[in-house]
Amino acid sequence: MRQAGTYSAILMGGIAGRTGPHSLPLARIKKIMKRSGDDVKMISGEAPIVFSKACELFIEELTQRAWMVTLQGKRRTLHKEDVAAAVMATDIFDFLIQMVSDSNGGQMAPAAKSDSMVVER
Amino acid sequence: MAGSGTGGDHANYGGSSDGNPAAAAGQCSVREQDRFMPIANVIRIMRKVLPTHAKISDDAKETIQECVSEYISFITSEANERCQREQRKTITAEDVLWAMSKLGFDDYIEPLSLYLQRYRELEGDHRGSIRGEPLPTIRHRSPNPSTDVVPFFPQPPPPSFVVPPPSGPSHLNHLYGDGAGGYYYGMYGGGDGSGASTSQDPPMPGFDHSYAPYKQ
């Protein structure tokens, strides 16, 4: 594929991770930013661009850390529990603890969680 | 389906003013899609750092997809608080970088700053030619504390990042792809040179108007 079309060029740039176009959709990022609070007003055009790269770094770091847990378990399939373990083991991912422990039905959470298997999201 | 099985509160999300005419049955799924990054993109990025033979369970993909949105919200909230404290209306790239640093993502700051600088230089070339004056780059401006908003560009980046390859215009294509630049570039009003944002200048009144179409 030597001559990339308009849209495949976006994808190729994103996949290759070079200086190509942003691999995450900027409009979507902006929507999520706006939803983070009722009082979010204006967002500069560059902020989603920073996020597109930051989310890439974030996904890479979380994935790598989770994969290390997978390897410790001598497995080849990365599971949600591996992601949860990576979150628990990484201070800067503390903001994710609630999200991953809810998904686990209290498996990772401290005693405050009920013993029922109801999965809350 | 992106974000499937993620719980009941999604269906009750209201107040979306994007005017999406989705049918009632499909409306929930549209909103769910809006909450997350496309899962294909997420998977693609995950695979970049995993060995070829690695498998990823569906629930791991969805979990990371949700974590990304949480990350964006987390950082944005902090950045927004700073804007409000400083009585500014617009969340800038520098606010985002500041929030990331404050919340512990220091390791991201340098690559993000370089990424942003490279983006600005390419953008600046466009706008410089339209306005007929050169746009100062971060390199030249960073020693000027009175106009610089950000402490994140303390020193010139390594030349390999800022010197465009001698291929000239094709370097722009690397950033935007053939004709793909218009897809994103135009979204921010950069095509006509009118107030595509930078954080190098104070927000201008006219600047805010260019985002009217994106207010939802």
Side-chain angles (χ1 to χ4, degrees):
Chain A
M1 194 192 311
R2 295 185 59 110
Q3 191 71 15
T6 301
Y7 294 106
S8 56
I10 297 174
L11 291 174
M12 289 296 286
I15 295 172
R18 287 189 288 265
T19 62
H22 324 292
S23 64
L24 292 171
L26 300 175
R28 189 79 57 88
I29 290 172
K30 188 160 182 165
K31 279 186 189 167
I32 297 172
M33 289 178 72
K34 281 195 164 288
R35 293 186 72 246
S36 69
D38 288 335
D39 50 5
V40 173
K41 296 188 182 68
M42 309 295 297
I43 299 172
S44 85
E46 291 178 330
I49 285 167
V50 171
F51 264 122
S52 74
K53 185 66 177 174
C55 290
E56 206 174 306
L57 298 175
F58 173 78
I59 292 170
E60 288 176 359
E61 179 171 6
L62 186 49
T63 302
Q64 282 172 316
R65 290 177 179 273
W67 179 248
M68 283 165 49
V69 179
T70 310
L71 289 178
Q72 284 169 8
K74 296 189 172 33
R75 291 175 279 110
R76 291 184 162 200
T77 301
L78 196 157
H79 284 288
K80 179 170 60 179
E81 289 72 21
D82 302 326
V83 178
V87 165
M88 304 304 288
T90 311
D91 285 344
I92 59 173
F93 291 159
D94 281 356
F95 71 99
L96 295 169
I97 289 178
Q98 193 66 28
M99 167 168 288
V100 296
S101 65
D102 283 348
S103 305
N104 282 336
Q107 175 182 339
M108 308 302 290
K113 271 293 190 188
S114 75
D115 286 331
S116 75
M117 288 307 291
V118 173
V119 176
E120 292 180 17
R121 290 286 192 116
Chain B
M1 186 188 313
S4 62
T6 49
D9 66 328
H10 299 185
N12 294 328
Y13 173 69
S16 171
S17 59
D18 59 3
N20 196 312
Q27 207 163 12
C28 293
S29 63
V30 169
R31 288 170 179 162
E32 282 212 355
Q33 285 173 7
D34 284 353
R35 288 170 60 102
F36 304 117
M37 290 292 111
I39 197 149
N41 300 49
V42 172
I43 295 167
R44 199 174 297 132
I45 296 170
M46 290 176 73
R47 293 215 181 276
K48 278 168 53 183
V49 298
L50 290 174
T52 323
H53 66 271
K55 293 188 183 350
I56 314 173
S57 73
D58 285 344
D59 59 7
K61 294 171 187 171
E62 288 180 10
T63 299
I64 297 218
Q65 186 189 30
E66 293 163 14
C67 287
V68 175
S69 296
E70 197 69 14
Y71 175 65
I72 294 172
S73 297
F74 182 53
I75 301 291
T76 301
S77 294
E78 193 70 31
N80 190 40
E81 278 182 30
R82 185 200 198 203
C83 282
Q84 293 187 329
R85 278 196 304 272
E86 301 183 1
Q87 294 179 320
R88 288 182 285 111
K89 281 196 291 188
T90 306
I91 301 176
T92 65
E94 275 75 17
D95 293 325
V96 172
L97 289 172
W98 174 88
M100 284 182 186
S101 179
K102 178 164 187 281
L103 294 170
F105 293 89
D106 302 300
D107 292 344
Y108 294 10
I109 299 301
E110 191 176 332
L112 291 177
S113 300
L114 293 168
Y115 185 82
L116 181 60
Q117 176 145 359
R118 185 170 54 198
Y119 168 82
R120 282 175 170 169
E121 290 185 349
L122 294 169
E123 287 287 300
D125 287 344
H126 282 272
R127 281 174 299 152
S129 63
I130 290 169
R131 289 181 180 170
E133 56 183 329
L135 184 76
T137 63
I138 298 297
R139 278 172 298 175
H140 302 147
R141 291 169 61 84
S142 55
N144 189 344
S146 64
T147 58
D148 266 352
V149 182
V150 181
F152 290 113
F153 306 97
Q155 56 194 355
S160 61
F161 282 93
V162 300
V163 176
S167 51
S170 64
H171 179 60
L172 294 176
N173 288 340
H174 289 168
L175 185 64
Y176 296 112
D178 291 328
Y183 183 72
Y184 290 119
Y185 189 28
M187 286 175 67
Y188 293 96
D192 57 0
S194 66
S197 70
T198 74
S199 304
Q200 297 161 347
D201 301 308
M204 300 175 287
F207 167 82
D208 288 344
H209 290 299
S210 65
Y211 289 97
Y214 301 109
K215 285 185 180 175
Q216 295 170 11

